[in-house]
Amino acid sequence: MQIYHYFTVIIILAAAFGYFNKRFLKLPRTIGVMIIALLTSLGIVLTASSFPDLFCADQKNDLIH
């Protein structure tokens, strides 16, 4: 992915988190988005530790070829 793809994903996630906070949590904007971002990060870390091949398969294939 190129750098503008990363920026696009970050902006879309921030908008989705903001909408989820406004619609369901009704916390102050900064706090709500931060809590959702922390929970999402925790979910990614737990998924990566449970299924290590899910995130590292491309790197292993690149090393082999």
Side-chain angles (χ1 to χ4, degrees):
M1 285 178 97
Q2 294 181 353
I3 192 151
Y4 55 86
H5 288 135
Y6 292 122
F7 287 136
T8 303
V9 169
I10 289 170
I11 290 170
I12 290 171
L13 284 175
F17 292 167
Y19 174 77
F20 184 81
N21 178 43
K22 179 124 177 135
R23 176 86 176 170
F24 300 109
L25 298 179
K26 296 179 176 43
L27 292 170
R29 187 180 327 170
T30 309
I31 295 171
V33 171
M34 180 61 71
I35 289 172
I36 296 169
L38 287 171
L39 292 175
T40 302
S41 298
L42 181 63
I44 290 171
V45 168
L46 291 175
T47 303
S49 65
S50 298
F51 306 104
D53 292 337
L54 184 65
F55 294 102
C56 297
D58 292 336
Q59 293 173 356
K60 288 179 185 176
N61 289 337
D62 289 342
L63 292 175
I64 292 171
H65 298 288

